[in-house]
Amino acid sequence: MVLSDLLQNIIGGVTVGATYGLIGLGVVFLWQSIERINFANISSAMLAAYLFYTFYTQLHLGFLVAFVVSIAIIAAYGLALRHLVLEPINRHGGDKLEFVVATLMLCTFWLSVVKVLYGGIAKPFPPVFGEATSFVQIGSISIPSVYFWIFFVVLVLVLVLYVLLQRTMIGKMFRATAQNKEMASLVGINVGMTTSLAFMLSTSIVGIAGILLAPIYFVSLDLGGGPIGVKGFAAAVMGGLIDPLGTILGGLSIGLIENFSTLFISSAYKDVISFVVLVVVLVWKPRGIFNWTTKGD
Amino acid sequence: MKKALVMLMVVALFAGVLGFTPVRAAEGAIVQITIGSTKATINSKAVVLDQPPLIESGRTLVPFRFIGEAIGAQIGWNPAKKSVSYVLGNKNIVLTIGSVTAIVNGVKTTLDVAPKILPTGRTVVPIRFISESIGAKVDWNATTRMVTVTVAAAKPSWSTPIKIVLSAPFTGSGSILGTYCKGGAQLAVDEINAAGGVNGAKLDLITYDDQANASTAATVVRRALDSDKAVAIFGPNMSAAVLGVHALAQQAKVPMLVGATSPSLRYDTTHNDYLFRLRADDGVKVAQQVKYIVEILKAKKPGIILGSDDYCTSALAVAKQAFEKYGIKIVDIESMKEGDKDVTAQVTKLKNAGIDVLVGLTHEPEAAVVMLKVRQLKLAVPIVGFSAWGVPAFTDLAGDAAIGVISVQGFNPADTDPTVKKFVDAYKAKWGMEPSDPAQCYYDGVYLLKKAIETAGSTDPVKIDEALKTVEYTGVQGLMKCDALHNFTNICYISQFNGKTWKVISKIP
Amino acid sequence: MANILETKALTKRFGGIVANRGINLAIEQGKTTGLIGPNGSGKSTFINQISGMFPPTSGSILFEGEEISRKPACEIASMGIARTFQRIQLFGHLNVVENVLVSRCKFMRASALDIALGTARVRHEEKAQFDKAMEFLGIVGLDGDAWKLPSNLPYGKRRALEIARALALEPLLLLLDEPAAGMTKEEFVEILRIMEILKERKITMLLVEHTMEFIRKAVDRVYVLNFGEVIAQGSFEEIERNKAVISAYLGDENE
Ligand SMILES: Nc1ncnc2c1ncn2[C@@H]1O[C@H](COP(=O)(O)OP(=O)(O)OP(=O)(O)O)[C@@H](O)[C@H]1O
Ligand SMILES: [Mg+2]
């Protein structure tokens, strides 16, 4: 094992890990705002990728148009989620558990819908982030150009989210609503509006992630469930469900653990090892491993 | 007493001459006679003629009653007109002694040689004319001076269409395969129907979506058996689905012809007389893949990248055995899961293990993920992938990264064999796309079924099943014949991807 | 002087319990109105209805002449009614100044587009609101604790923070539900000081309290509830002498 091999694996682990983190951000955002876990979180990634594929590859719209339209639809979908899933559940006296069950079913629903409409076979993603086989050579290390896009967008998204949640009024409204809807309402926050915004932002973030990830994941059902969904959720849990930065770091840790367990132990035990680590973290630090501040209640 | 004995001998003699049971038209017959000999055979049974065949003006003449009865025709004799008549099925032939004019189905025809009465009192007629007029085939062997008349089994004509069912995935992860299954089967059905069907009956192909899922496939197969009363079922195409449903076909005694490739569907495992396989199974393909790696590439240190499901692991089992037979040790096996998108660590390890060939035993998307990483990390060894590495679902995703990959394929549309080309062209003309594995096997399968129904002379599924075990048919996949494992073919290709098509390196067998 | 708030026959039932029965109550502009009564007499229920936490069973609530009994809480808050809770309620994950800042949302004028683009206008506005929040913290003496989490504050300061958050809404009417409950002597003094400031600022208040000393000092007029009904009203001195009130309390609340 030479140094360049190690670096190469760190880059691989970090990129895939960042993708888990991105997906986790969607979870965090909704939790931050309404304290609900959307198990159909990952569906937004798949839907956005297929929408973008439809607009860009099939309908030949430009990159920007295809991107904006796809994300707008995904945001509208977020709004629909609130009004067609969350509100009816609340009206009928349902709570967190009911929402979990409903969104779990929704996840399967979207997988079947996409299967029916597009077939189950993975489609190549148009090379909008550079050809899949274009690599940037740095010494003896070679990095696919799409990796740079992923790093860049993850960085920007984390920054934007961090500023939004921590530094802006909207962010405070979100966080206040998340903690105590009744009281938020009593200080004049329009809880209905923040809830809608939270849903739209959550689905949009994951939608952007979906389009960004499609060069690696292809336009495939893998973007709508399976390992990425679970690991994105795991990343969010490592971020204590509230910390965007912690979530990204959580995702990176999972990506690196996967790579290094393959490299130094065995590829056969990769998933076992990562999930053992996750369970240990959950038991040991249920509020997230990167819980910088002590939170009150 | 002596008189009685003579009588007995006369009777025996008579029996020898006339004692063959006239064959029934439907059954067909092969009649062999030799010029100048009274010995003849009907369906390999010896008979004795009262008058040896003779040649006149290059035409063989035989006793008129013998040939009529041998081919199963009704024979008439009109002493007044001195005319002989034969009726077989809807054919009607009238000959007149001493006249070269004959009437076939009411139409006057001229003979080369007229029927005549020999000095012995026997009436003889030209055998070729009679035989060919009723649709039998006549062969002449000059050295043995033997004439063989083959009367094909009369073709019963069925008025109702023959129902066959195709169970294939049209939704779900295997949906593209369903398109190919149906494309191949429907093309064959349409061709057959356009050419008059099977014994005059049209084939009716009913297609159901089994979602590549065993429980849906079970519903489909039950429907095919119970309500459609299909005479044969094509598919499912997914091995796991076939495992779940083939017993239903066995119970109902209806043949099931599948393109599923798991070695676990071989007859020695299933013992299902009603289950047949229409393309080479995975065991055969992996063995050929290893053979190519060892004998042609002369690789000594193979490394394997392995998927996690049954398709991949059963391929690994065969590959391990095959390498072992050559005394070659696999230096590294790295596994990945379906859905994995980063194999940096696996490829790094394979590279560091010093492999001289990478054997890919994964599904299509994983193959693409591996190849992108192989190119990124510059693992510069030949890549020889399993069947999933030889289809568009892989090359579309991998793009340029797939160039140079060698794969073992069940079908290669770039094969220049005329039968393959004809099929590929017809498929393209009909569906506007190139066929891919398994389209060819369902195409061949429908033709095989046609032949089996014709051979059985029946649409009884049990009889079709019997016929399937014996018929031979040369189709897109070459000679198809049911072997001891109930596989119709072991054909496969070793091909290399050049960025556009797969160049055939070798075609086996 | 005009009444800022009037209730007419306000009634709230919880199943069999009638927590408020036909309450007619008026709060005069600029004055502090007291609401007293034994435990479970329906004081908090009354405040909850006015602040919009739940709608009344029957009757009406007129705020500046407008019927508000069916309006959502956030709208009532925006119209100018703020409150504190008997059991202190703060946003635990938000720091002290953020707890106050959330009340300033309704003063933000930037459009959604401004916010999305993070324009200078938004940044300017947010800075202005931050300064305002610090100002309210200053009033209750919490400007030194702005970056702490509420859980790190002593009890008395948490109560002060709750009041600051309510004040930050710049309310026309402030509803205080037992602000002095559970306080130490020193904390009690601090609350009294805050009350003085509020009175100086002429903020109209409805004060629910058990502490008679507090009531005596703070209120202009008192309503007495018993079993959900108003049994007396008037100045504190009048109420003190009222027989019905004395018997309702049975002398158990006289410190
Ligand atoms: N949400 C509710 N559901 C059911 N009953 C309630 C509810 N809120 C209050 N009550 C009941 O209504 C009655 C009045 O309660 P309330 O809290 O208004 O009294 P209070 O005067 O504030 O008492 P305290 O001095 O103890 O704070 C009580 O019997 C209480 O149990
Ligand atoms: Mg109370």
Side-chain angles (χ1 to χ4, degrees):
Chain A
M1 191 83 32
V2 287
L3 183 68
S4 67
D5 282 344
L6 267 183
L7 285 174
Q8 198 75 65
N9 274 279
I10 290 172
I11 291 166
V14 161
T15 313
V16 170
T19 68
Y20 300 153
L22 264 188
I23 303 301
L25 286 185
V27 176
V28 167
F29 214 75
L30 208 59
W31 180 266
Q32 270 275 21
S33 323
I34 62 160
E35 290 209 315
R36 287 289 188 283
I37 289 175
N38 172 11
F39 274 88
N41 176 59
I42 190 65
S43 307
S44 307
M46 173 182 71
L47 293 176
Y50 275 93
L51 283 170
F52 183 85
Y53 173 82
T54 307
F55 294 132
Y56 186 85
T57 307
Q58 297 186 326
L59 301 179
H60 308 292
L61 303 181
F63 170 80
L64 207 66
V65 178
F67 182 83
V68 170
V69 172
S70 306
I71 297 303
I73 293 175
I74 287 300
Y77 158 68
L79 196 60
L81 260 188
R82 183 205 159 190
H83 289 288
L84 303 178
V85 181
L86 179 75
E87 296 300 341
I89 287 174
N90 286 351
R91 261 202 304 282
H92 292 102
D95 197 23
K96 288 185 179 146
L97 183 65
E98 284 79 0
F99 189 73
V100 164
V101 174
T103 52
L104 269 175
M105 291 193 302
L106 192 66
C107 188
T108 319
F109 167 78
W110 283 123
L111 280 172
S112 337
V113 167
V114 170
K115 263 184 210 166
V116 170
L117 292 180
Y118 293 88
I121 209 97
K123 295 175 196 312
F125 190 74
V128 291
F129 305 119
E131 287 293 341
T133 44
S134 82
F135 306 111
V136 175
Q137 196 72 32
I138 304 172
S140 57
I141 298 164
S142 127
I143 306 170
S145 51
V146 64
Y147 280 24
F148 291 100
W149 276 94
I150 292 177
F151 295 143
F152 174 71
V153 174
V154 169
L155 216 67
V156 168
L157 271 182
V158 171
L159 229 71
V160 164
L161 275 184
Y162 183 80
V163 169
L164 185 75
L165 281 179
Q166 301 298 327
R167 295 265 175 276
T168 72
M169 214 62 161
I170 292 267
K172 291 175 183 69
M173 284 161 64
F174 279 138
R175 286 154 66 211
T177 312
Q179 276 176 52
N180 192 332
K181 259 185 266 325
E182 199 163 61
M183 201 170 47
S185 173
L186 288 168
V187 295
I189 294 173
N190 187 335
V191 173
M193 200 195 71
T194 46
T195 306
S196 293
L197 261 174
F199 269 101
M200 290 164 74
L201 278 171
S202 165
T203 54
S204 304
I205 291 166
V206 181
I208 292 172
I211 293 176
L212 197 68
L213 293 185
I216 294 180
Y217 276 77
F218 313 120
V219 182
S220 71
L221 300 173
D222 288 338
L223 272 173
I228 189 181
V230 178
K231 287 165 189 166
F233 180 62
V237 168
M238 287 175 109
L241 290 179
I242 51 163
D243 179 5
L245 204 62
T247 301
I248 294 293
L249 292 179
L252 295 185
S253 333
I254 298 173
L256 287 171
I257 290 168
E258 282 181 354
N259 258 62
F260 285 116
S261 55
T262 304
L263 207 53
F264 296 116
I265 306 171
S266 160
S267 50
Y269 300 117
K270 183 188 87 175
D271 286 310
V272 180
I273 292 166
S274 359
F275 279 102
V276 165
V277 169
L278 182 73
V279 169
V280 168
V281 163
L282 270 178
V283 172
W284 169 56
K285 280 220 148 186
R287 283 177 166 217
I289 40 173
F290 308 103
N291 202 354
W292 336 100
T293 49
T294 42
K295 312 278 185 202
D297 48 8
Chain B
M1 192 61 209
K2 197 180 170 192
K3 201 178 170 183
L5 211 70
V6 172
M7 277 297 287
L8 209 75
M9 281 174 70
V10 171
V11 171
L13 197 72
F14 247 84
V17 177
L18 303 167
F20 57 88
T21 32
V23 287
R24 277 193 294 115
E27 284 166 5
I30 297 173
V31 183
Q32 289 183 316
I33 55 169
T34 309
I35 307 300
S37 163
T38 53
K39 288 183 192 151
T41 61
I42 297 175
N43 290 342
S44 311
K45 255 173 44 195
V47 293
V48 180
L49 303 183
D50 51 2
Q51 163 69 50
L54 59 139
I55 294 188
E56 204 179 293
S57 319
R59 297 287 169 207
T60 306
L61 300 176
V62 294
F64 87 96
R65 197 168 285 279
F66 165 76
I67 183 63
E69 286 176 347
I71 61 177
Q74 271 183 7
I75 305 158
W77 167 244
N78 185 331
K81 293 187 181 166
K82 291 197 165 184
S83 67
V84 184
S85 65
Y86 298 93
V87 179
L88 181 69
N90 49 6
K91 298 273 168 57
N92 181 339
I93 307 166
V94 183
L95 301 163
T96 310
I97 307 296
S99 161
V100 290
T101 307
I103 300 164
V104 179
N105 292 338
V107 180
K108 274 190 185 170
T109 319
T110 307
L111 304 175
D112 301 335
V113 183
K116 65 180 194 181
I117 301 178
L118 294 178
T120 52
R122 303 286 164 200
T123 302
V124 289
V125 291
I127 188 169
R128 181 176 291 270
F129 177 78
I130 305 283
S131 305
E132 289 183 347
S133 297
I134 56 114
K137 205 162 103 248
V138 180
D139 293 306
W140 164 245
N141 185 326
T143 41
T144 54
R145 295 172 67 76
M146 186 186 273
V147 179
T148 304
V149 178
T150 310
V151 188
K155 300 176 177 182
S157 185
W158 298 295
S159 51
T160 46
I162 303 167
K163 279 192 179 168
I164 54 179
V165 161
L166 169 66
S167 165
F170 293 95
T171 53
S173 52
S175 60
I176 183 81
L177 296 180
T179 315
Y180 289 129
C181 297
K182 181 170 181 189
Q186 190 71 54
L187 178 63
V189 164
D190 292 354
E191 284 177 3
I192 289 168
N193 286 346
V198 182
N199 288 349
K202 297 263 190 261
L203 286 177
D204 181 9
L205 178 69
I206 306 166
T207 307
Y208 294 116
D209 180 11
D210 63 25
Q211 300 168 336
N213 161 323
S215 73
T216 316
T219 315
V220 165
V221 168
R222 280 207 193 86
R223 179 164 177 188
L225 296 171
D226 302 343
S227 87
D228 295 330
K229 307 257 181 263
V231 303
I233 295 171
F234 288 93
N237 191 59
M238 207 68 130
S239 298
V242 177
L243 280 173
V245 300
H246 74 79
L248 294 174
Q250 186 175 26
Q251 253 167 25
K253 297 196 192 324
V254 172
M256 175 174 263
L257 302 105
V258 303
T261 52
S262 168
S264 58
L265 295 173
R266 291 175 176 174
Y267 183 76
D268 56 0
T269 311
T270 65
H271 300 291
N272 182 346
D273 279 302
Y274 290 83
L275 180 65
F276 301 90
R277 193 199 316 258
L278 296 168
R279 52 175 174 154
D281 77 34
D282 289 342
V284 173
K285 280 186 221 160
V286 181
Q288 292 298 344
Q289 189 182 354
V290 170
K291 188 172 173 211
Y292 174 80
I293 288 167
V294 177
E295 292 183 3
I296 308 295
L297 294 181
K298 308 245 182 282
K300 303 232 152 33
K301 295 162 83 182
I304 293 179
I305 183 84
L306 178 72
S308 70
D309 76 354
D310 177 62
Y311 166 82
C312 306
T313 50
S314 58
L316 177 70
V318 179
K320 269 182 169 165
Q321 246 178 16
F323 276 121
E324 211 163 276
K325 262 208 306 232
Y326 285 107
I328 285 178
K329 207 173 150 289
I330 300 167
V331 296
D332 189 19
I333 300 174
E334 289 297 324
S335 45
M336 65 188 294
K337 274 242 295 278
E338 284 64 46
D340 276 359
K341 301 301 174 198
D342 183 48
V343 287
T344 312
Q346 286 94 329
V347 175
T348 307
K349 281 175 90 175
L350 285 161
K351 199 176 165 187
N352 290 345
I355 60 169
D356 59 2
V357 63
L358 176 61
V359 185
L361 305 180
T362 70
H363 284 284
E364 296 86 345
E366 287 70 41
V369 168
V370 169
M371 281 319 297
L372 285 168
K373 198 53 76 178
V374 162
R375 299 308 181 214
Q376 184 197 337
L377 299 184
K378 306 193 171 53
L379 173 58
V381 296
I383 315 286
V384 186
F386 194 31
S387 48
W389 292 54
V391 294
F394 157 62
T395 52
D396 286 353
L397 293 183
D400 287 352
I403 295 174
V405 168
I406 295 163
S407 170
V408 56
Q409 302 173 307
F411 176 63
N412 186 334
D415 186 356
T416 48
D417 176 279
T419 324
V420 175
K421 240 185 96 42
K422 198 175 140 249
F423 162 69
V424 171
D425 292 343
Y427 193 98
K428 273 194 202 157
K430 187 169 181 71
W431 305 112
M433 65 191 280
E434 194 164 75
S436 172
D437 204 11
Q440 84 289 351
C441 87
Y442 289 96
Y443 180 81
D444 281 346
V446 172
Y447 273 104
L448 257 174
L449 180 71
K450 170 179 186 273
K451 189 139 190 207
I453 295 174
E454 286 170 352
T455 306
S458 159
T459 52
D460 176 4
V462 176
K463 288 192 177 142
I464 295 175
D465 186 74
E466 282 310 313
L468 277 171
K469 290 175 190 163
T470 56
V471 291
E472 286 181 18
Y473 164 75
T474 305
V476 178
Q477 301 182 99
L479 178 69
M480 313 243 331
K481 189 175 181 339
C482 179
D483 68 11
L485 301 173
H486 272 214
N487 290 346
F488 271 108
T489 177
N490 285 329
I491 198 166
C492 52
Y493 297 81
I494 302 282
S495 316
Q496 185 165 30
F497 190 62
N498 64 12
K500 279 206 179 68
T501 55
W502 288 89
K503 229 180 108 312
V504 179
I505 296 175
S506 63
K507 184 174 176 180
I508 310 148
Chain C
M1 273 278 182
N3 290 332
I4 189 164
L5 184 118
E6 281 176 25
T7 65
K8 300 252 162 68
L10 191 64
T11 300
K12 182 71 193 177
R13 287 174 203 276
F14 294 112
I17 300 166
V18 185
N20 282 177
R21 186 192 299 273
I23 294 182
N24 296 310
L25 184 147
I27 298 172
E28 208 174 312
Q29 174 81 52
K31 295 278 167 62
T32 299
T33 307
L35 184 60
I36 61 171
N39 289 113
S41 57
K43 306 180 293 290
S44 296
T45 302
F46 184 75
I47 286 189
N48 288 344
Q49 288 181 91
I50 293 176
S51 57
M53 280 176 67
F54 43 66
T57 308
S58 65
S60 73
I61 306 166
L62 295 177
F63 180 63
E64 297 202 293
E66 192 175 338
E67 176 64 54
I68 58 164
S69 59
R70 302 285 150 189
K71 286 194 193 298
C74 69
E75 200 174 317
I76 292 172
S78 301
M79 288 173 76
I81 299 180
R83 67 168 291 179
T84 66
F85 293 83
Q86 186 168 349
R87 225 187 115 256
I88 299 174
Q89 297 209 27
L90 294 166
F91 298 109
H93 294 224
L94 271 59
N95 63 29
V96 167
V97 67
E98 285 176 332
N99 264 282
V100 179
L101 262 172
V102 289
S103 287
R104 303 300 300 172
C105 293
K106 71 167 189 171
F107 300 101
M108 291 286 285
R109 289 288 161 264
S111 68
L113 191 69
D114 285 317
I115 293 167
L117 298 176
T119 58
R121 180 174 171 199
V122 173
R123 270 176 281 134
H124 181 260
E125 260 199 331
E126 295 206 341
K127 175 80 179 68
Q129 297 309 334
F130 177 82
D131 294 344
K132 256 307 201 220
M134 287 305 284
E135 196 184 312
F136 286 108
L137 282 179
I139 294 175
V140 299
L142 277 178
D143 39 350
D145 302 305
W147 305 106
K148 289 183 180 160
L149 281 176
S151 54
N152 297 336
L153 293 181
Y155 186 80
K157 287 194 171 181
R158 290 190 211 174
R159 176 65 79 195
L161 175 57
E162 212 191 7
I163 295 173
R165 188 183 62 196
L167 283 179
L169 272 174
E170 298 183 22
L172 304 174
L173 171 62
L174 181 58
L175 312 171
L176 299 169
D177 196 351
E178 302 195 28
M183 298 243 157
T184 62
K185 273 273 175 307
E186 301 80 62
E187 288 166 347
F188 183 67
V189 171
E190 174 63 13
I191 285 291
L192 273 182
R193 193 188 67 78
I194 294 173
M195 287 300 291
E196 284 307 315
I197 298 171
L198 298 182
K199 279 185 86 80
E200 273 167 34
R201 294 185 153 230
K202 300 261 182 304
I203 292 174
T204 314
M205 286 183 279
L206 177 70
L207 176 64
V208 171
E209 255 307 335
H210 283 297
T211 321
M212 287 308 152
E213 188 190 342
F214 197 171
I215 291 287
R216 187 197 316 275
K217 284 188 180 150
V219 305
D220 302 303
R221 188 177 177 78
V222 186
Y223 284 79
V224 184
L225 281 188
N226 198 20
F227 296 111
E229 278 180 288
V230 177
I231 55 167
Q233 55 176 303
S235 67
F236 187 78
E237 289 71 28
E238 284 165 20
I239 291 302
E240 233 177 358
R241 278 176 257 117
N242 188 306
K243 288 245 169 54
V245 176
I246 294 165
S247 76
Y249 274 88
L250 280 171
D252 62 335
E253 294 285 344
N254 53 5
E255 39 167 74

